[in-house]
Amino acid sequence: MSFKTRFFRVINPLSKNFSFDHFSKLLPFETIIIVYHLVSDKNVKHVKHLFPYRSVNQFEKDLDFLSKHFEFIDWDDYLSKKKTSKPGILLTFDDGYIEFYDIISPILLKKGIFAINYINPKFIDNNEMMWRNKASLIVSEIIEDENFQDKMFEWTGNELKEIISSILSINFKDKHQLDEIAEHLEIDTKNYLKTNPVYLTTNQLQKLKNDGFGIASHGWDHPLYNQLSLTEQLENTQKALDYMNENHFLIDSFAFPFTDNLVKNQFFDSVFSQNPDLRVTFGAAGLKLDSNKKNIQRVPIEIRNYSVEEILKNEIIYYQFLRNTKKNRIKRS
Ligand SMILES: [Zn+2]
């Protein structure tokens, strides 16, 4: 468990007792950017073992809370640093899950709230599944499909736990292992994608764009950047930005898949010089400054079962704690 996770655990029961007004004065930035992945009332097998997603009801509660304390802004407002009466908030969604089209966009349109989708072009149209989704799907099938345990295996509870955690900890470089496990267990990810579309389609992206939503790059195929060489990082980023350009989506921002942890200044120098239209890149390390001024950190909301109010309170306290120890800025070499 990370230090931040432990910090949140300790602080959460205490911060609950104070109204958010006490905290909003301590917000270190005039505008914050938050990141979700999807919202669903269903059992989403390809996601449920990766992070806890919001139900429709929880998501609407989040939005009600945010409307009270923040002013939702759109992409032009963000770039022009529009002055807002309350702190500004920009909503972003990562990975291009189909739920944005089916569930989220109708809610946002009704409330007049803008959002950007950071997508991986490789998975648009559901021809292939992102490696982390494969890991979650395999684990779901092992746990939920009785056939697996009856027919093939006689695992004890502890063995099962170990198998699950080793599947979930396979990293980007070894992602081929997930295909091997899926094949071995006769889990057909391509067929799953056909019967349960996981990602947005080209048509849906165009419709979302016409409805006013932003579509931008999250890398070509959701790699873990610190496991790529600099050349691979740049190629993966460029391929996705070229797709955005060809499809007339946004080319002025890019959001790192997973994390920008350990990504070096050389990457930023190259990507900004090769793409003059690119204005900003986004990480997801929570409220934090970055030694690279064009790289902005977003606040991830899907952590444990915390509400957005709890997350923001904890982030604000954590930021003040980091500031006191002068660790509120990510340093890059
Ligand atoms: Zn992602």
Side-chain angles (χ1 to χ4, degrees):
M1 196 190 299
S2 74
F3 176 73
K4 185 173 167 180
T5 312
R6 263 181 277 157
F7 190 94
F8 275 27
R9 272 198 176 180
V10 173
I11 224 68
N12 200 60
L14 306 171
S15 57
K16 259 187 177 169
N17 303 319
F18 298 91
S19 96
F20 190 75
D21 296 326
H22 290 94
F23 291 83
S24 53
K25 289 175 211 130
L26 297 171
L27 201 66
F29 309 118
E30 282 174 20
T31 295
I32 62 167
I33 307 160
I34 60 174
V35 52
Y36 288 93
H37 288 84
L38 75 156
V39 172
S40 177
D41 288 337
K42 288 192 183 143
N43 173 25
V44 186
K45 288 181 175 183
H46 53 275
V47 164
K48 64 187 286 193
H49 297 290
L50 307 181
F51 50 82
Y53 50 86
R54 295 285 198 271
S55 69
V56 170
N57 191 273
Q58 286 169 328
F59 182 60
E60 287 190 323
K61 274 193 185 154
D62 280 3
L63 293 179
D64 289 343
F65 167 82
L66 292 171
S67 306
K68 250 188 236 160
H69 298 276
F70 293 85
E71 184 174 327
F72 283 104
I73 59 169
D74 66 22
W75 185 234
D76 290 334
D77 298 336
Y78 179 77
L79 289 178
S80 65
K81 297 194 165 75
K82 183 189 162 188
K83 287 273 166 241
T84 47
S85 50
K86 295 182 226 173
I89 192 160
L90 178 69
L91 207 50
T92 69
F93 287 82
D94 281 4
D95 298 3
Y97 290 112
I98 199 163
E99 284 80 3
F100 190 86
Y101 186 82
D102 294 337
I103 298 167
I104 301 161
S105 72
I107 297 172
L108 296 181
L109 284 171
K110 208 167 59 189
K111 295 181 184 277
I113 298 171
F114 169 86
I116 297 192
N117 283 271
Y118 286 97
I119 65 158
N120 306 112
K122 179 163 185 181
F123 308 119
I124 294 306
D125 291 328
N126 293 289
N127 295 317
E128 212 174 309
M129 189 180 282
M130 199 259 275
W131 60 290
R132 290 293 289 156
N133 294 135
K134 282 180 190 167
S136 178
L137 177 64
I138 291 169
V139 170
S140 295
E141 296 292 9
I142 289 174
I143 295 173
E144 292 172 32
D145 189 338
E146 286 165 6
N147 291 333
F148 275 119
Q149 281 157 63
D150 289 354
K151 272 192 204 161
M152 300 184 196
F153 311 105
E154 285 176 347
W155 292 328
T156 65
N158 269 348
E159 281 167 341
L160 188 63
K161 255 191 194 166
E162 261 176 48
I163 289 163
I164 287 168
S165 88
S166 65
I167 291 171
L168 290 174
S169 55
I170 289 174
N171 65 27
F172 179 70
K173 275 203 163 150
D174 299 325
K175 64 184 191 314
H176 61 95
Q177 290 177 0
L178 291 165
D179 294 322
E180 288 157 21
I181 297 169
E183 200 182 331
H184 183 70
L185 298 178
E186 294 176 11
I187 298 167
D188 185 343
T189 54
K190 296 218 164 156
N191 188 47
Y192 180 89
L193 284 167
K194 260 187 215 139
T195 44
N196 317 269
V198 169
Y199 311 104
L200 295 160
T201 65
T202 306
N203 270 341
Q204 289 167 340
L205 287 177
Q206 290 299 340
K207 281 188 193 153
L208 290 171
K209 186 192 162 191
N210 293 341
D211 280 338
F213 293 108
I215 313 291
S217 166
H218 194 41
W220 178 254
D221 59 353
H222 214 283
L224 180 54
Y225 268 60
N226 59 37
Q227 287 193 351
L228 300 181
S229 67
L230 177 65
T231 311
E232 288 169 334
Q233 288 176 349
L234 290 167
E235 277 171 5
N236 204 295
T237 313
Q238 199 59 48
K239 203 170 170 187
L241 282 172
D242 290 346
Y243 169 95
M244 298 301 149
N245 201 9
E246 282 155 23
N247 288 281
H248 309 288
F249 298 140
L250 296 173
I251 51 168
D252 45 10
S253 71
F254 159 77
F256 283 93
F258 299 115
T259 173
D260 55 17
N261 186 27
L262 306 177
V263 175
K264 297 194 169 149
N265 283 323
Q266 223 183 335
F267 168 81
F268 292 97
D269 293 344
S270 301
V271 83
F272 281 112
S273 77
Q274 281 166 21
N275 297 279
D277 290 315
L278 186 65
R279 301 262 304 263
V280 59
T281 55
F282 291 121
L287 293 178
K288 239 178 182 186
L289 294 167
D290 198 295
S291 66
N292 197 305
K293 288 206 172 86
K294 286 183 176 172
N295 193 45
I296 307 295
Q297 296 301 331
R298 301 176 293 166
V299 178
I301 299 301
E302 292 147 332
I303 302 176
R304 292 168 60 86
N305 53 357
Y306 296 135
S307 67
V308 73
E309 176 173 3
E310 289 172 302
I311 293 280
L312 292 177
K313 282 176 173 176
N314 295 344
E315 283 281 352
I316 290 167
I317 299 172
Y318 189 61
Y319 182 87
Q320 300 301 336
F321 168 80
L322 291 178
R323 205 179 60 162
N324 288 336
T325 51
K326 294 200 165 55
K327 287 191 174 128
N328 56 328
R329 186 186 301 273
I330 296 168
K331 292 193 179 82
R332 295 185 191 279
S333 54

